[in-house]
Amino acid sequence: MRETMAVEAIEVGTVIDHIPAGQGLNILARIQKLNSNARLTVGLNLPSKTSGLKDIIKVEGWLFSEQDAAEMALYAPNATVNIIEKYKVVKKFKIGIPEEFLGIFDCPNSNCISNKEPSPTRFRVKAKQKDLFLRCHYCERTFADTLFMPKSR
Amino acid sequence: MINPLYRKDIVSISDLSKENLELIVQLAQQFKQHGPSPYLQNNVIASCFFEPSTRTRLSFETAVQRLGGTLIGFSDGTNTSTKKGETLTDSIHMISSYADAIIMRHPQEGSARLASEVSTVPVINGGDGANQHPSQTLLDLFSIYECQGDLEGLSIAFVGDLKYGRTVHSLVQAMSHFNPTFYFIAPDILRMPSYFEESLEEAGIKFEYLDALAPAIETVDILYMTRVQKERFDPTEYMHIASQYVLNADMLSTAKPNMKVLHPLPRVDEIHPDVDRTANAYYFQQAENGVYAREALLALVMSETVKELHHA
């Protein structure tokens, strides 16, 4: 079976490809939080030419900005975002890791003011060797990225 | 000179440069020796203590009055609109339209940073939960400078609760500008947080853990004692742990002549009252210095030019 046939092509929208297998559902949850009406097609555990198995998500009618994509950065920094118009890829970029996460995650410190006030939470990203840490702009605590992942699915 | 702290928010010790810290210490000394000038005349300062405090609030309010300012505010959040469910954002929005500066203490971490982003007037953090308490660090720095004559190259031991103690964390951060050697003396479960140790290693700051007070006493210039909070231990464990971290006058016989004992107060059992009479005790002078350090901070934040610094 050709890989491109695994999930049906879309006319206009965004295809997030090369998501590490297992992270697709986390990304799905993020997208649904941003827009619960988003029209989605999901492929899980598809064969990948480069990395064994991968997940893929197609979002119809919504062209992701780099900021939209940054929402998913912790789960799949190396995933590729393809912007599709008239069934063609018109723009392609890697999700990457942003310098800052704004209004995306709650602060793991339950006594942090950012969890109780209307202004968005804010974390600065610090990379140390292979590990990622997020430092809360408000309570000034630093947390490992794993603390922001859903515990189990 | 241009005053770099004019109209600046004082939220976290990490926002202050080495030069900023030296400036505050220098002015605190001027004020202590010659008295303050009326830098806050015609200024209304809001003193907003969403949780109670003794030393911090009284010394801030003393400093405001000695600088000629007037005060509005509250000493306990339970009688304010916060109790009715108002957000901190709204409270600060309102208060900043009344006052020329806000001094605040709040039980939640990050509250002062948030307030500084909402407020149109400078915000001075008087303690935000377990996070920061910069004015305590400034008075600690001033006290260290005053008793040692310098901040550079000192050996400092921190004793007690190094995990949760915000005064320790902030002072370690501030002193890191001045080529220090740190000794940490704490029960295993109250060691410095690992991210703190890592940042000291990255910055190339010398530090080591010691098992007991005695070897530190004969080595250091400053012995910074803190309270080990009873509620973190079961009673037997507390008795055992507390007994290892209690300082008494006899133990100070091997101390260097310049060695001073500091403590952010209140103390409970960790410094025996017989230490008060030794030449090494410096914690009451340290508490008194809270007024001068806060006067210096307020003057620099509220006045574009500070004449004392011209002939310093």
Side-chain angles (χ1 to χ4, degrees):
Chain A
M1 187 174 68
R2 282 194 302 130
E3 189 195 315
T4 45
M5 291 299 286
V7 184
E8 204 180 322
I10 54 173
E11 187 182 351
V12 176
T14 304
V15 176
I16 309 170
D17 199 358
H18 302 295
I19 302 168
Q23 291 297 343
L25 290 177
N26 287 334
I27 292 191
L28 203 62
R30 277 279 142 207
I31 296 174
Q32 288 187 311
K33 205 175 164 190
L34 286 174
N35 178 1
S36 58
N37 297 317
R39 196 161 158 191
L40 305 165
T41 319
V42 182
L44 301 177
N45 293 329
L46 303 180
S48 156
K49 280 180 209 144
T50 49
S51 54
L53 293 176
K54 66 175 184 178
D55 295 346
I56 185 166
I57 296 174
K58 300 194 174 191
V59 189
E60 280 192 62
W62 177 2
L63 306 179
F64 269 36
S65 65
E66 305 212 355
Q67 175 63 33
D68 292 333
E71 291 261 335
M72 293 103 205
L74 277 193
Y75 309 119
N78 295 317
T80 9
V81 179
N82 300 280
I83 305 298
I84 313 286
E85 283 180 48
K86 294 183 184 164
Y87 296 104
K88 283 194 176 139
V89 177
V90 292
K91 189 180 169 193
K92 192 170 186 164
F93 58 90
K94 270 202 170 185
I95 288 186
I97 295 285
E99 283 183 6
E100 212 168 55
F101 285 107
L102 204 61
I104 295 173
F105 305 107
D106 289 344
C107 182
N109 170 12
S110 60
N111 199 41
C112 176
I113 194 81
S114 68
N115 291 329
K116 283 139 188 140
E117 293 283 323
S119 50
T121 59
R122 199 169 148 191
F123 296 90
R124 249 198 120 61
V125 179
K126 290 200 292 190
K128 207 179 275 175
Q129 280 118 33
K130 282 185 118 181
D131 299 322
L132 277 187
F133 295 90
L134 272 63
R135 183 178 191 266
C136 175
H137 168 72
Y138 292 99
C139 73
E140 304 188 18
R141 290 201 194 164
T142 301
F143 306 96
D145 61 345
T146 47
L147 272 171
F148 297 84
M149 307 283 189
K151 289 204 173 53
S152 61
R153 279 205 171 265
Chain B
M1 64 169 286
I2 297 158
N3 165 12
L5 293 171
Y6 179 54
R7 298 205 58 82
K8 205 175 148 126
D9 300 304
I10 308 295
V11 172
S12 168
I13 210 71
S14 55
D15 301 337
L16 298 171
S17 68
K18 181 179 181 181
E19 291 69 31
N20 293 163
L21 297 172
E22 287 173 328
L23 199 64
I24 298 163
V25 165
Q26 199 185 357
L27 187 60
Q29 195 181 35
Q30 294 278 328
F31 283 169
K32 186 168 186 177
Q33 284 169 357
H34 308 295
S37 308
Y39 286 108
L40 295 188
Q41 218 165 32
N42 303 320
N43 279 296
V44 175
I45 308 295
S47 165
C48 303
F49 280 71
F50 294 88
E51 69 172 4
S53 144
T54 313
R55 261 167 303 280
T56 305
R57 184 172 68 82
L58 293 180
S59 63
F60 258 125
E61 295 187 356
T62 304
V64 169
Q65 307 227 30
R66 290 205 189 280
L67 291 165
T70 48
L71 281 158
I72 57 168
F74 45 88
S75 57
D76 184 345
T78 53
N79 292 326
T80 67
S81 47
T82 308
K83 185 81 176 164
K84 298 177 192 158
E86 185 176 53
T87 61
L88 179 66
T89 305
D90 284 1
S91 302
I92 295 296
H93 197 86
M94 172 202 63
I95 297 164
S96 77
S97 69
Y98 299 160
D100 298 302
I102 300 172
I103 297 161
M104 66 175 278
R105 167 170 289 195
H106 194 281
Q108 285 177 298
E109 287 100 52
S111 51
R113 177 76 64 200
L114 182 97
S116 73
E117 291 170 350
V118 177
S119 173
T120 52
V121 298
V123 169
I124 296 177
N125 185 5
D128 61 323
N131 184 31
Q132 283 277 333
H133 190 4
S135 66
Q136 174 71 43
T137 309
L138 295 172
L139 77 89
D140 290 345
L141 278 187
F142 172 45
S143 301
I144 293 172
Y145 178 79
E146 185 182 53
C147 67
Q148 302 296 326
D150 204 345
L151 290 171
E152 291 288 344
L154 298 174
S155 291
I156 306 176
F158 291 92
V159 185
D161 181 352
L162 310 188
K163 183 173 185 185
Y164 300 100
R166 63 183 176 192
T167 54
V168 171
H169 300 168
S170 299
L171 186 56
V172 164
Q173 257 178 306
M175 283 307 296
S176 295
H177 290 294
F178 301 96
N179 185 31
T181 305
F182 294 133
Y183 298 93
F184 299 134
I185 303 158
D188 263 354
I189 66 160
L190 296 179
R191 282 168 70 105
M192 293 290 279
S194 54
Y195 64 84
F196 230 101
E197 293 173 6
E198 284 162 22
S199 59
L200 289 175
E201 277 164 10
E202 278 168 23
I205 309 274
K206 303 179 281 292
F207 71 93
E208 68 174 287
Y209 278 90
L210 298 175
D211 293 335
L213 267 167
I217 289 171
E218 55 192 48
T219 312
V220 299
D221 304 303
I222 296 288
L223 187 64
Y224 196 96
M225 302 288 295
T226 64
R227 185 160 54 97
V228 173
Q229 292 182 23
K230 264 188 195 163
E231 55 274 23
R232 302 205 192 280
F233 300 91
D234 72 51
T236 338
E237 202 183 6
Y238 175 76
M239 293 279 280
H240 173 69
I241 282 171
S243 65
Q244 287 179 289
Y245 302 96
V246 171
L247 183 69
N248 64 48
D250 291 343
M251 295 163 77
L252 290 166
S253 59
T254 56
K256 297 199 287 187
N258 68 312
M259 191 273 248
K260 298 293 178 198
V261 180
L262 299 182
H263 190 300
L265 303 181
R267 68 167 154 179
V268 185
D269 306 318
E270 60 280 2
I271 300 180
H272 192 278
D274 66 9
V275 176
D276 299 359
R277 292 188 299 272
T278 67
N280 306 101
Y282 211 69
Y283 29 90
F284 292 120
Q285 289 95 320
Q286 179 190 5
E288 179 194 336
N289 284 342
V291 174
Y292 309 118
R294 289 177 174 117
E295 281 173 358
L297 183 63
L298 283 160
L300 287 161
V301 169
M302 299 306 291
S303 178
E304 197 167 3
T305 52
V306 175
K307 63 178 190 299
E308 282 83 350
L309 292 171
H310 289 295
H311 34 88

